[in-house]
């Protein structure tokens, strides 16, 4: 059991909407406490249905950073206006016990949150669980996971919960303005309107500046949940106005348990293997577990890289890596592109299968905009695939260092242990592998800054081969 401020409000990390927030007990405790305070504010009139000044004053007075100062009924009864970190309640004249449970600070809830953590840690999962807890209609538990509100959030159909995700490299100003318009709408079913922005690190500086005012002066009963890989990826003006929620990489065993329990992976050994191979990245582990061909391609890729012996090998391997990424990203791109084009033409009243179809000027303009959007999405998907490939390469060399140094740490690629031991026997010690990891880091930097993939991979493979110490 996770201990909160009050024993009465302890929560289990495995219960309700929090069941899929893997191995994050502190995050579950923080968000569960906030959801309970949000519910207490609504019930007490601290935030009311009329959307009057009491509502705005209550939520805007909460500090971006949570404090542990207990509530003071005397100052509440005196009608003292709450200030960040103070001990007053947000509803002048109300008894503190009517606003929040004894010992629970109202500053546990605020209007803007920033979820940060490495890829695969479950940032968006935690944000969606928190959104469900805020709109949950269970009479006693905030985030039961079984009521119609929680189910609607889980299925992505709740009218008060908006999730903004992008398959493009950047989020545009126009998209952010559309999101702000949604934020100013009153909730229709739940107590709150919740806006979740996944991959906030892809929001441009101009787009962040547009969003700043909506976060500084939040609409009534609107809560912003921003997700990013690190706090440094978010502008300080936005970061300073949000409550930070720090997620850690879950353990491989926790990810394996999730695959068996939620994704119905029947073989526990397979679940454990892919959890390790993915670096405990939940989404990647699920993909590897469900796709045997993907697992086979990944192993062949690592075997090819480990087998490089000369400069010619490096060039051939670089070409193979480029093809590997093309296979990973290309099939999905072609399928999605054709489906989107057909759907667009049908929405314009055109039969895409008509051999005599000749697009008008207006249709051509629509198709051109779609193609531009698809190109940006292709770029994003390609960069994500390169990032996963380089992470897999880094995992292989880290495994070689673990075995070479005799560390008591589980290997990321258990199935490749014989190959890794042969690789070490060829003179590839920890020092050379550290140099390889640095070469991989530099290759990632070049790719993320529009480096040409084929040339970048050739340079990387030559670096990996140059550090080989064959005996």
């Amino acid at each position: 059991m996770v201990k909160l401020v009050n024993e009465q409000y302890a929560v289990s990390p495995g219960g309700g909407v929090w069941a899929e927030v893997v191995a994050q007990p502190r995050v579950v405790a923080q968000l569960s406490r906030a959801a309970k305070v949000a519910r207490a504010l609504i019930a007490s009139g601290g935030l009311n249905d009329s959307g009057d000044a009491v509502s705005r004053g209550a939520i805007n007075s909460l500090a971006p950073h949570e404090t542990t100062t207990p509530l003071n009924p005397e100052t509440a009864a005196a009608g003292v206006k709450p200030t960040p970190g103070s001990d007053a309640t947000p509803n002048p004249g109300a008894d503190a016990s009517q606003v929040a449970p004894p010992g629970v600070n109202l500053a546990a809830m605020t209007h803007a949150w920033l979820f940060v953590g490495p890829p695969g840690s479950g940032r968006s999962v935690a944000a969606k669980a928190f959104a469900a807890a805020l709109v949950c209609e269970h009479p006693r538990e905030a985030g039961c996971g079984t009521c119609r509100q929680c189910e609607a959030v889980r299925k992505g159909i709740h009218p008060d919960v908006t999730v903004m995700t992008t398959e493009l490299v950047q989020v545009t100003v126009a998209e952010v303005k559309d999101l702000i318009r949604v934020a100013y709408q009153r909730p229709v079913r739940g107590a709150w309107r919740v806006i979740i922005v996944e991959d906030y690190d892809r929001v441009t500086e101009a787009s962040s500046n547009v969003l700043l005012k909506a976060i500084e002066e939040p609409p009534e009963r609107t809560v912003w949940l921003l997700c990013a890989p690190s706090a440094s990826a978010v502008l300080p003006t936005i970061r300073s106005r949000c409550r930070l929620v720090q997620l850690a990489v879950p353990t491989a065993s926790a990810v394996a348990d999730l695959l068996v329990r939620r994704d119905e992976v029947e073989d526990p050994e397979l679940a454990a293997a892919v959890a390790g191979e993915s670096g405990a990245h939940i989404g990647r582990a699920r993909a590897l577990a469900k796709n045997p061909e993907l697992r086979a391609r990944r192993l062949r890729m690592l075997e090819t890289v480990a087998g490089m012996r000369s400069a010619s090998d490096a060039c051939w391997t670089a070409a193979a890596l480029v093809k590997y990424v093309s296979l990973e990203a290309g099939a999905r791109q072609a399928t999605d592109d054709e489906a989107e084009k057909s759907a667009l033409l049908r929405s314009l009243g055109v039969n895409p299968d008509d051999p005599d179809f000749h697009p008008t000027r207006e249709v051509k303009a629509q198709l051109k905009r779609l193609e531009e959007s698809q190109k940006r999405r292709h770029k994003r998907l390609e960069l994500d695939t390169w990032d996963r490939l380089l992470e897999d390469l880094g995992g292989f060399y880290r495994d070689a260092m673990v075995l070479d140094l005799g560390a008591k740490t589980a290997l990321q690629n258990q199935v490749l242990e014989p190959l890794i031991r042969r690789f070490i026997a060829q003179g590839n010690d920890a020092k050379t592998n550290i140099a390889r990891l640095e070469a991989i880091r530099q290759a990632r930097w070049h790719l993320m800054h529009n480096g040409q993939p084929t040339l970048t991979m050739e340079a990387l493979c030559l670096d990996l081969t140059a550090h080989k110490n064959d005996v």
Side-chain angles (χ1 to χ4, degrees), residues 201-220:
D201 54 306
R202 296 185 183 274
V203 177
T204 64
E205 182 174 352
S207 301
S208 290
N209 290 333
V210 171
L211 183 62
L212 179 60
K213 185 175 181 181
I215 292 182
E216 282 184 324
E217 301 177 5
E220 308 292 350

Side-chain angles (χ1 to χ4, degrees), residues 49 73 124 152 244 295 319 327 354 366 368 372 395 403 407 470:
D49 292 328
S124 61
L244 187 66
R295 296 198 303 273
L327 288 173
D354 184 1
Q366 294 274 12
K368 183 177 180 180
E372 292 174 350
L403 285 180
D470 291 332

